[in-house]
Amino acid sequence: DDVADTVRPRLDAAMADMRRVHVLDYKMEGDRKRLVNLGDIAVFQDALRQIRENGGAPRAIFIDPITAYLAGRDSKTDSDVRELLAPLSIMARKEDVAVIGVQHLNKGSGPAAYRVGGSIAFTAAARAVWIVTRDKDEENTKLFLPLKMNLSADVGGYAYTIESDSLNTPFVQWAGPVETSAREALEPEAPRNRVAPLQDEIK
C-alpha cells in the first residue's frame, strides 16, 4: 500500500504516534535506489541504529507482504525461505525487536497450518502465527486467531470490525475475545440443505 495515501491515513485513524513510525523502502547502491529485501540485514541494522541515535526505541519491524521482499527467491521453496528468514531471526534477537511479516492464506482446504501461502517454512520459522478470517456467523465481523504459539499459552483470539472515521478512513474496532480456534474458523462451511421443488403430480 502507498504510504502517503493509504498507510498514513490509517495510522492517523488509529491515533498512532507518528514520531514512532519509520518507513524503510529502499537502499542506495551508488547513485541508484533499490527496494529493500529480506537479505538486507545490514540495512535493517543501520536503520535501527539511526533511530536509537535520534532518541527512539524501536520495538518491531513490519514487512507487508513478506513475499514482496524475498530478493527473487521462490516463496514456495523451503530452502529459499529458510535461507532468508534465519539471518532475519538472528538479527531480531540481537537487536531486541520483533519481526512481523504479513502473508496471505491460500485457497486450499487442508489443515490450518498449511493454509498460510507459500512454503511451510514461513509458519515453521515463526514463533507465533495469527490468522485473520471472516466470522462465519457474523457477516461484517472478522476474527484474529492464533494458529501457532511457541512463546505463550494459546488463550484464544479476538473479533473485530472495520469501521470508518469522519474522513471515511477505515480502522479496526475490537469487539472482544472469542473461543473459536483457527482450525474451526478455516473449516469449509457445510453446504446448506436444499429442498427440491415439488413437481406436479403426474396423472
PDB file of all heavy atoms in Angstrom, residues 29-50:
ATOM      1  N   GLU A  29      22.446   2.108  -3.909  1.00  0.00           N
ATOM      2  CA  GLU A  29      23.573   1.371  -4.480  1.00  0.00           C
ATOM      3  C   GLU A  29      24.253   2.312  -5.458  1.00  0.00           C
ATOM      4  O   GLU A  29      23.814   2.460  -6.601  1.00  0.00           O
ATOM      5  CB  GLU A  29      23.094   0.098  -5.175  1.00  0.00           C
ATOM      6  CG  GLU A  29      22.606  -0.966  -4.208  1.00  0.00           C
ATOM      7  CD  GLU A  29      22.289  -2.285  -4.877  1.00  0.00           C
ATOM      8  OE1 GLU A  29      22.073  -2.284  -6.118  1.00  0.00           O
ATOM      9  OE2 GLU A  29      22.265  -3.308  -4.176  1.00  0.00           O
ATOM     10  N   GLY A  30      25.303   2.982  -4.972  1.00  0.00           N
ATOM     11  CA  GLY A  30      25.900   4.041  -5.771  1.00  0.00           C
ATOM     12  C   GLY A  30      24.946   5.217  -5.812  1.00  0.00           C
ATOM     13  O   GLY A  30      24.541   5.747  -4.778  1.00  0.00           O
ATOM     14  N   ASP A  31      24.554   5.612  -7.006  1.00  0.00           N
ATOM     15  CA  ASP A  31      23.605   6.716  -7.138  1.00  0.00           C
ATOM     16  C   ASP A  31      22.213   6.224  -7.513  1.00  0.00           C
ATOM     17  O   ASP A  31      21.372   6.982  -7.958  1.00  0.00           O
ATOM     18  CB  ASP A  31      24.101   7.717  -8.189  1.00  0.00           C
ATOM     19  CG  ASP A  31      24.321   7.072  -9.548  1.00  0.00           C
ATOM     20  OD1 ASP A  31      24.229   5.819  -9.639  1.00  0.00           O
ATOM     21  OD2 ASP A  31      24.582   7.797 -10.522  1.00  0.00           O
ATOM     22  N   ARG A  32      21.972   4.922  -7.324  1.00  0.00           N
ATOM     23  CA  ARG A  32      20.679   4.334  -7.686  1.00  0.00           C
ATOM     24  C   ARG A  32      19.968   3.806  -6.448  1.00  0.00           C
ATOM     25  O   ARG A  32      20.600   3.376  -5.482  1.00  0.00           O
ATOM     26  CB  ARG A  32      20.853   3.202  -8.701  1.00  0.00           C
ATOM     27  CG  ARG A  32      21.530   3.639  -9.998  1.00  0.00           C
ATOM     28  CD  ARG A  32      21.673   2.473 -10.952  1.00  0.00           C
ATOM     29  NE  ARG A  32      20.384   1.907 -11.309  1.00  0.00           N
ATOM     30  CZ  ARG A  32      20.240   0.823 -12.094  1.00  0.00           C
ATOM     31  NH1 ARG A  32      21.305   0.203 -12.565  1.00  0.00           N
ATOM     32  NH2 ARG A  32      19.048   0.373 -12.387  1.00  0.00           N
ATOM     33  N   LYS A  33      18.642   3.825  -6.501  1.00  0.00           N
ATOM     34  CA  LYS A  33      17.825   3.289  -5.427  1.00  0.00           C
ATOM     35  C   LYS A  33      17.392   1.867  -5.761  1.00  0.00           C
ATOM     36  O   LYS A  33      17.102   1.557  -6.914  1.00  0.00           O
ATOM     37  CB  LYS A  33      16.577   4.149  -5.210  1.00  0.00           C
ATOM     38  CG  LYS A  33      16.841   5.547  -4.691  1.00  0.00           C
ATOM     39  CD  LYS A  33      15.532   6.288  -4.511  1.00  0.00           C
ATOM     40  CE  LYS A  33      15.757   7.689  -3.975  1.00  0.00           C
ATOM     41  NZ  LYS A  33      14.475   8.427  -3.795  1.00  0.00           N
ATOM     42  N   ARG A  34      17.373   1.011  -4.750  1.00  0.00           N
ATOM     43  CA  ARG A  34      16.874  -0.352  -4.917  1.00  0.00           C
ATOM     44  C   ARG A  34      15.965  -0.682  -3.742  1.00  0.00           C
ATOM     45  O   ARG A  34      16.254  -0.319  -2.598  1.00  0.00           O
ATOM     46  CB  ARG A  34      18.028  -1.354  -4.979  1.00  0.00           C
ATOM     47  CG  ARG A  34      17.537  -2.809  -4.985  1.00  0.00           C
ATOM     48  CD  ARG A  34      18.640  -3.795  -5.114  1.00  0.00           C
ATOM     49  NE  ARG A  34      19.528  -3.884  -3.967  1.00  0.00           N
ATOM     50  CZ  ARG A  34      19.206  -4.463  -2.807  1.00  0.00           C
ATOM     51  NH1 ARG A  34      17.988  -4.958  -2.606  1.00  0.00           N
ATOM     52  NH2 ARG A  34      20.089  -4.524  -1.828  1.00  0.00           N
ATOM     53  N   LEU A  35      14.855  -1.377  -4.022  1.00  0.00           N
ATOM     54  CA  LEU A  35      13.951  -1.768  -2.955  1.00  0.00           C
ATOM     55  C   LEU A  35      14.664  -2.662  -1.948  1.00  0.00           C
ATOM     56  O   LEU A  35      15.448  -3.536  -2.324  1.00  0.00           O
ATOM     57  CB  LEU A  35      12.735  -2.502  -3.525  1.00  0.00           C
ATOM     58  CG  LEU A  35      11.738  -1.660  -4.327  1.00  0.00           C
ATOM     59  CD1 LEU A  35      10.646  -2.547  -4.908  1.00  0.00           C
ATOM     60  CD2 LEU A  35      11.120  -0.577  -3.451  1.00  0.00           C
ATOM     61  N   VAL A  36      14.389  -2.449  -0.684  1.00  0.00           N
ATOM     62  CA  VAL A  36      14.951  -3.280   0.370  1.00  0.00           C
ATOM     63  C   VAL A  36      14.335  -4.668   0.305  1.00  0.00           C
ATOM     64  O   VAL A  36      13.154  -4.831  -0.029  1.00  0.00           O
ATOM     65  CB  VAL A  36      14.666  -2.643   1.751  1.00  0.00           C
ATOM     66  CG1 VAL A  36      15.059  -3.573   2.880  1.00  0.00           C
ATOM     67  CG2 VAL A  36      15.404  -1.325   1.874  1.00  0.00           C
ATOM     68  N   ASN A  37      15.123  -5.710   0.615  1.00  0.00           N
ATOM     69  CA  ASN A  37      14.583  -7.061   0.691  1.00  0.00           C
ATOM     70  C   ASN A  37      15.063  -7.726   1.979  1.00  0.00           C
ATOM     71  O   ASN A  37      15.846  -7.138   2.750  1.00  0.00           O
ATOM     72  CB  ASN A  37      14.962  -7.891  -0.543  1.00  0.00           C
ATOM     73  CG  ASN A  37      16.462  -8.014  -0.707  1.00  0.00           C
ATOM     74  OD1 ASN A  37      17.151  -8.537   0.166  1.00  0.00           O
ATOM     75  ND2 ASN A  37      16.977  -7.540  -1.843  1.00  0.00           N
ATOM     76  N   LEU A  38      14.601  -8.937   2.231  1.00  0.00           N
ATOM     77  CA  LEU A  38      14.905  -9.611   3.493  1.00  0.00           C
ATOM     78  C   LEU A  38      16.373  -9.938   3.656  1.00  0.00           C
ATOM     79  O   LEU A  38      16.828 -10.223   4.773  1.00  0.00           O
ATOM     80  CB  LEU A  38      14.075 -10.898   3.615  1.00  0.00           C
ATOM     81  CG  LEU A  38      12.550 -10.737   3.658  1.00  0.00           C
ATOM     82  CD1 LEU A  38      11.898 -12.077   3.949  1.00  0.00           C
ATOM     83  CD2 LEU A  38      12.135  -9.710   4.684  1.00  0.00           C
ATOM     84  N   GLY A  39      17.105  -9.910   2.568  1.00  0.00           N
ATOM     85  CA  GLY A  39      18.535 -10.188   2.652  1.00  0.00           C
ATOM     86  C   GLY A  39      19.360  -8.995   3.084  1.00  0.00           C
ATOM     87  O   GLY A  39      20.562  -9.129   3.355  1.00  0.00           O
ATOM     88  N   ASP A  40      18.742  -7.814   3.176  1.00  0.00           N
ATOM     89  CA  ASP A  40      19.467  -6.589   3.526  1.00  0.00           C
ATOM     90  C   ASP A  40      19.555  -6.401   5.039  1.00  0.00           C
ATOM     91  O   ASP A  40      19.095  -5.401   5.599  1.00  0.00           O
ATOM     92  CB  ASP A  40      18.781  -5.375   2.881  1.00  0.00           C
ATOM     93  CG  ASP A  40      18.922  -5.377   1.372  1.00  0.00           C
ATOM     94  OD1 ASP A  40      19.991  -5.745   0.870  1.00  0.00           O
ATOM     95  OD2 ASP A  40      17.944  -4.993   0.698  1.00  0.00           O
ATOM     96  N   ILE A  41      20.155  -7.366   5.720  1.00  0.00           N
ATOM     97  CA  ILE A  41      20.239  -7.319   7.175  1.00  0.00           C
ATOM     98  C   ILE A  41      20.975  -6.068   7.644  1.00  0.00           C
ATOM     99  O   ILE A  41      20.561  -5.401   8.608  1.00  0.00           O
ATOM    100  CB  ILE A  41      20.941  -8.575   7.714  1.00  0.00           C
ATOM    101  CG1 ILE A  41      20.154  -9.833   7.309  1.00  0.00           C
ATOM    102  CG2 ILE A  41      21.087  -8.494   9.228  1.00  0.00           C
ATOM    103  CD1 ILE A  41      18.751  -9.888   7.841  1.00  0.00           C
ATOM    104  N   ALA A  42      22.081  -5.719   6.958  1.00  0.00           N
ATOM    105  CA  ALA A  42      22.851  -4.544   7.358  1.00  0.00           C
ATOM    106  C   ALA A  42      22.026  -3.269   7.240  1.00  0.00           C
ATOM    107  O   ALA A  42      22.202  -2.331   8.034  1.00  0.00           O
ATOM    108  CB  ALA A  42      24.123  -4.440   6.505  1.00  0.00           C
ATOM    109  N   VAL A  43      21.128  -3.216   6.257  1.00  0.00           N
ATOM    110  CA  VAL A  43      20.271  -2.037   6.093  1.00  0.00           C
ATOM    111  C   VAL A  43      19.306  -1.920   7.267  1.00  0.00           C
ATOM    112  O   VAL A  43      19.093  -0.822   7.812  1.00  0.00           O
ATOM    113  CB  VAL A  43      19.492  -2.126   4.762  1.00  0.00           C
ATOM    114  CG1 VAL A  43      18.524  -0.949   4.623  1.00  0.00           C
ATOM    115  CG2 VAL A  43      20.457  -2.148   3.582  1.00  0.00           C
ATOM    116  N   PHE A  44      18.723  -3.041   7.689  1.00  0.00           N
ATOM    117  CA  PHE A  44      17.833  -3.029   8.857  1.00  0.00           C
ATOM    118  C   PHE A  44      18.598  -2.565  10.099  1.00  0.00           C
ATOM    119  O   PHE A  44      18.111  -1.726  10.869  1.00  0.00           O
ATOM    120  CB  PHE A  44      17.249  -4.419   9.104  1.00  0.00           C
ATOM    121  CG  PHE A  44      16.222  -4.848   8.107  1.00  0.00           C
ATOM    122  CD1 PHE A  44      16.447  -5.938   7.279  1.00  0.00           C
ATOM    123  CD2 PHE A  44      15.011  -4.181   7.990  1.00  0.00           C
ATOM    124  CE1 PHE A  44      15.499  -6.338   6.360  1.00  0.00           C
ATOM    125  CE2 PHE A  44      14.052  -4.577   7.077  1.00  0.00           C
ATOM    126  CZ  PHE A  44      14.302  -5.662   6.250  1.00  0.00           C
ATOM    127  N   GLN A  45      19.775  -3.129  10.290  1.00  0.00           N
ATOM    128  CA  GLN A  45      20.559  -2.780  11.484  1.00  0.00           C
ATOM    129  C   GLN A  45      20.954  -1.307  11.478  1.00  0.00           C
ATOM    130  O   GLN A  45      20.931  -0.650  12.522  1.00  0.00           O
ATOM    131  CB  GLN A  45      21.802  -3.672  11.560  1.00  0.00           C
ATOM    132  CG  GLN A  45      21.474  -5.125  11.868  1.00  0.00           C
ATOM    133  CD  GLN A  45      22.698  -6.009  11.877  1.00  0.00           C
ATOM    134  OE1 GLN A  45      23.505  -5.962  10.943  1.00  0.00           O
ATOM    135  NE2 GLN A  45      22.856  -6.814  12.909  1.00  0.00           N
ATOM    136  N   ASP A  46      21.311  -0.783  10.317  1.00  0.00           N
ATOM    137  CA  ASP A  46      21.690   0.622  10.229  1.00  0.00           C
ATOM    138  C   ASP A  46      20.499   1.525  10.526  1.00  0.00           C
ATOM    139  O   ASP A  46      20.641   2.546  11.214  1.00  0.00           O
ATOM    140  CB  ASP A  46      22.246   0.928   8.839  1.00  0.00           C
ATOM    141  CG  ASP A  46      22.798   2.349   8.737  1.00  0.00           C
ATOM    142  OD1 ASP A  46      23.676   2.701   9.541  1.00  0.00           O
ATOM    143  OD2 ASP A  46      22.330   3.100   7.857  1.00  0.00           O
ATOM    144  N   ALA A  47      19.314   1.148  10.023  1.00  0.00           N
ATOM    145  CA  ALA A  47      18.109   1.940  10.294  1.00  0.00           C
ATOM    146  C   ALA A  47      17.778   1.928  11.781  1.00  0.00           C
ATOM    147  O   ALA A  47      17.435   2.964  12.366  1.00  0.00           O
ATOM    148  CB  ALA A  47      16.942   1.394   9.479  1.00  0.00           C
ATOM    149  N   LEU A  48      17.905   0.765  12.420  1.00  0.00           N
ATOM    150  CA  LEU A  48      17.644   0.669  13.856  1.00  0.00           C
ATOM    151  C   LEU A  48      18.638   1.519  14.648  1.00  0.00           C
ATOM    152  O   LEU A  48      18.274   2.192  15.622  1.00  0.00           O
ATOM    153  CB  LEU A  48      17.722  -0.793  14.307  1.00  0.00           C
ATOM    154  CG  LEU A  48      16.634  -1.727  13.754  1.00  0.00           C
ATOM    155  CD1 LEU A  48      16.972  -3.180  14.093  1.00  0.00           C
ATOM    156  CD2 LEU A  48      15.267  -1.366  14.287  1.00  0.00           C
ATOM    157  N   ARG A  49      19.903   1.493  14.219  1.00  0.00           N
ATOM    158  CA  ARG A  49      20.928   2.295  14.902  1.00  0.00           C
ATOM    159  C   ARG A  49      20.604   3.788  14.801  1.00  0.00           C
ATOM    160  O   ARG A  49      20.697   4.519  15.800  1.00  0.00           O
ATOM    161  CB  ARG A  49      22.298   2.010  14.284  1.00  0.00           C
ATOM    162  CG  ARG A  49      23.432   2.870  14.870  1.00  0.00           C
ATOM    163  CD  ARG A  49      24.730   2.628  14.118  1.00  0.00           C
ATOM    164  NE  ARG A  49      24.587   2.924  12.699  1.00  0.00           N
ATOM    165  CZ  ARG A  49      24.594   4.157  12.185  1.00  0.00           C
ATOM    166  NH1 ARG A  49      24.703   5.212  12.978  1.00  0.00           N
ATOM    167  NH2 ARG A  49      24.476   4.331  10.879  1.00  0.00           N
ATOM    168  N   GLN A  50      20.208   4.243  13.606  1.00  0.00           N
ATOM    169  CA  GLN A  50      19.898   5.655  13.422  1.00  0.00           C
ATOM    170  C   GLN A  50      18.704   6.081  14.274  1.00  0.00           C
ATOM    171  O   GLN A  50      18.692   7.178  14.855  1.00  0.00           O
ATOM    172  CB  GLN A  50      19.611   5.937  11.949  1.00  0.00           C
ATOM    173  CG  GLN A  50      20.832   5.822  11.051  1.00  0.00           C
ATOM    174  CD  GLN A  50      20.516   6.213   9.616  1.00  0.00           C
ATOM    175  OE1 GLN A  50      19.827   7.197   9.366  1.00  0.00           O
ATOM    176  NE2 GLN A  50      21.006   5.424   8.666  1.00  0.00           N
TER     177      GLN A  50
END
